[in-house]
Every structure is written in structure tokens, then in C-alpha cells.
Amino acid sequence: MQNTIYTSAKPFVKWVGGKTQLLKDIKHALPANLAQMKDIIYVEPFVGGGAVLFWILQQFPNIKRAVINDINPHLITTYKIVKEQPGKLIERLKVFQNEYIPLGEEDRKAYYLAKRDIYNNSSLPEVEIAALFIFLNRTCFNGLYRVNSKGKFNVPHGKYATPRICDEDTILADSHVLQKVEILCGDFEETAIYASSNSLFYFDPPYKPLSKTSSFNSYAKEEFDDNEQIRLRDFCCKIAEHKANFILSNSDVKGKNEDEGFFDEIYNAYNIRRVMATRMVNANPDKRGKLSELMISNINMIYR
């Protein structure tokens, strides 16, 4: 197995809660014989930025088939365009980059808001949706993706000196990796048909907030509340009954409050390990830093 995290492909968007920093922990949680297994189906029901997806498909070339899903239709459209039409996407992103970069701060903000308005209120070709999705992600505040109750993207403009709007090499590398990936858009339960003794699921759902002011799970207009977390637990039980392996990440609410045992209780039938991650998204720099997260699995999680 290679020691490098990435060979070339990596997330083409910034994503809150992205798993790049936890890849080593995820690596140790995988089945010990994964590199020797055949006919594996890798499934990500909440693909987000795809850090684990791009890493695992390059680390384990014996994985010949993968399935990704997300409830965010514009994110999934972008994945499809990266896979199928990378050249056209790159052309459009170069236009945005060449128009945006030379502008002053106020003109950049006006340009951003105009593109955000088009993204939210226009019927557009899929290539344009994908290009706007990446442009807004690269130029918005902290790379957030957040929508209001009407499903409208509402993140304010960021203030980056030289944002990389068109990362041509990454898009082309990602397109190559995505050729073996089936791309779905819908509820996570729709991936149940892929559960078998040959499948490996990785779940990175919207995290349970550690406090009332720490929620960044508005990736879609539907709220992912405690009832949804329990529905996801039930889904994990369902695929485990079909002998599928799974790994799931979530926030460690008990680490914040010793009396809060939500995940320890609902996943008490499975292995729970606490790992350290760095929280970078907070308006107050003093509140950024290391915190524990949960890694839950039905795999024997012995660090090797």
C-alpha cells in the first residue's frame, strides 16, 4: 500500500467537515485485507467533497466499482460534469477566473453576488451550474455551502487574494478516477441496494451540532436532525444484516458534554473510536483547534 495520501486526484471543492485530515484514521479502520479483496463495491451515501472517495480509489486500485450519492442536486451535477465534460467545465472556469481576479475588492463582491443570483434563480445548462458551483465555492466565505429554507445558496463573499478558481490538473485527474463511479442524487437509503458482503460503505453525514451556534449542516433545505441520525443508525443496521462493512464519522457530543451520550447509546452495538480532528470554520479564531470526532464501524477497528 502506498504511503502517500493522494497521487493526483483530490477534492475539486472546499467542503466543511472534509475528511482529508482523517484519512490516516480511516485507513486504519478499513478491513485489514482490503487490498487483496476482489469485486468490492465502495459506497458513499453522503459524498460531500469526496476526500475519502478520491483517496481510497487511488490507494486501492482493486476497487473496480464505486457508488456515490448526495442529496444536493447541484453538487451531484458538478460531479457528473467533472466526470463527463471536464474540458467544457475548465473552459468556463477560466472565463470566471480571468474576469474575477483582476477586479478590486468591491467589484469582486459585486461580481460574486451577481453570479450567486444567477446560480439561485436561473434555469441553466448543467455545465454552467457546475462552473458556478465551483466558482462560488472558491470565492465564498470559508468555502461554506449553506442554503436557506427555500434552498437558496446564501453564503457571503469571501476575501481571498488569489483564489484558484480553475484547478485544471485536479479536474482532469478527478475525471479519470470518476470513470469507475456511478453517481446518484437522492436520499441515503436509496443506496441500500448495494449492500452485500462485497460492499464497503463510508458515511459522512451532516454532523450533530456540538452547540446551538455550531451547526453547519444546512447543505440542503431539509434539516438533518436527531430523528435523521437515528434513521441513519437504522440504515447501518440494515446493511450490516446484509454483511456489508461500514465506517461512519460524526461529532463527539460526549466530548463536549459528558452527560450527552447520544451516539454512544444509539451505536452501542458497534465499535466506537474517538479520533482527533482540527476545526477550522469559526468566525472566532480562538474557537478553532483540535477536537474529538467519532469513528463508528462494524469492522474490527484495531490500529495496525
Side-chain angles (χ1 to χ4, degrees):
M1 191 184 301
Q2 301 173 20
N3 291 323
T4 53
I5 296 301
Y6 291 122
T7 54
S8 54
K10 60 184 180 181
F12 53 81
V13 289
K14 296 182 287 183
W15 207 252
V16 172
K19 290 298 170 288
T20 299
Q21 63 178 312
L22 291 181
L23 290 178
K24 290 182 180 179
D25 293 296
I26 292 169
K27 176 180 177 180
H28 288 305
L30 295 171
N33 63 338
L34 181 60
Q36 288 74 49
M37 294 172 65
K38 297 181 179 180
D39 302 319
I40 310 164
I41 301 175
Y42 174 71
V43 187
E44 270 203 60
F46 304 87
V47 69
V52 179
L53 170 76
F54 291 118
W55 169 75
I56 202 168
L57 293 185
Q58 292 173 104
Q59 288 282 299
F60 298 93
N62 56 312
I63 299 177
K64 303 297 184 184
R65 183 185 181 197
V67 179
I68 61 173
N69 176 76
D70 204 278
I71 201 169
N72 184 322
H74 284 181
L75 173 64
I76 289 302
T77 293
T78 306
Y79 270 100
K80 289 179 178 178
I81 293 300
V82 169
K83 176 182 178 178
E84 299 167 3
Q85 300 183 62
K88 290 184 178 180
L89 176 60
I90 289 166
E91 288 178 8
R92 197 72 190 101
L93 287 172
K94 284 182 176 178
V95 171
F96 291 160
Q97 183 166 278
N98 292 337
E99 292 176 346
Y100 178 87
I101 295 298
L103 299 175
E105 184 175 329
E106 288 304 313
D107 287 337
R108 279 187 174 189
K109 181 178 179 180
Y111 185 94
Y112 170 87
L113 293 175
K115 295 302 183 187
R116 191 181 72 176
D117 189 60
I118 292 169
Y119 174 80
N120 279 329
N121 299 297
S122 303
S123 178
L124 301 167
E126 288 191 335
V127 170
E128 190 71 8
I129 291 171
L132 284 169
F133 187 95
I134 292 175
F135 167 77
L136 294 171
N137 174 265
R138 291 289 178 170
T139 57
C140 73
F141 175 74
N142 266 349
L144 289 173
Y145 192 91
R146 183 188 65 201
V147 297
N148 59 24
S149 60
K150 296 180 180 179
K152 303 293 186 181
F153 179 76
N154 64 355
V155 181
H157 181 238
K159 295 182 180 180
Y160 303 103
T162 55
R164 193 168 188 183
I165 295 165
C166 182
D167 187 347
E168 182 172 354
D169 291 343
T170 294
I171 290 171
L172 292 175
D174 291 354
S175 181
H176 177 73
V177 170
L178 288 171
Q179 296 310 306
K180 64 169 70 173
V181 179
E182 182 178 351
I183 303 173
L184 309 177
C185 183
D187 185 78
F188 64 84
E189 288 203 58
E190 295 176 19
T191 62
I193 60 173
Y194 301 99
S196 74
S197 59
N198 292 329
S199 57
L200 170 64
F201 282 70
Y202 175 66
F203 297 96
D204 186 21
Y207 276 21
K208 180 176 171 62
L210 294 176
S211 67
K212 292 181 179 180
T213 60
S214 67
S215 178
F216 284 100
N217 65 7
S218 299
Y219 302 112
K221 61 182 179 180
E222 298 83 5
E223 183 182 3
F224 206 89
D225 58 13
D226 285 358
N227 290 329
E228 287 296 285
Q229 299 286 0
I230 292 171
R231 184 166 71 93
L232 176 56
R233 185 278 314 272
D234 293 343
F235 182 75
C236 289
C237 295
K238 179 179 179 179
I239 65 169
E241 289 175 356
H242 287 84
K243 309 301 182 183
N245 287 321
F246 78 82
I247 301 168
L248 181 146
S249 299
N250 218 309
S251 57
D252 182 13
V253 291
K254 193 176 184 68
K256 181 75 172 179
N257 178 358
E258 273 294 326
D259 297 326
E260 175 60 271
F262 180 79
F263 289 118
D264 293 84
E265 292 170 8
I266 69 171
Y267 284 104
N268 63 0
Y270 300 106
N271 299 307
I272 301 175
R273 187 176 185 90
R274 286 168 166 85
V275 299
M276 297 307 295
T278 302
R279 177 172 56 188
M280 296 303 295
V281 179
N282 197 301
N284 183 350
D286 295 334
K287 293 184 179 180
R288 301 173 186 172
K290 291 285 187 180
L291 76 166
S292 59
E293 293 190 2
L294 300 180
M295 197 167 291
I296 302 165
S297 179
N298 65 340
I299 305 169
N300 186 17
M301 296 177 67
I302 299 175
Y303 269 44
R304 302 182 290 278

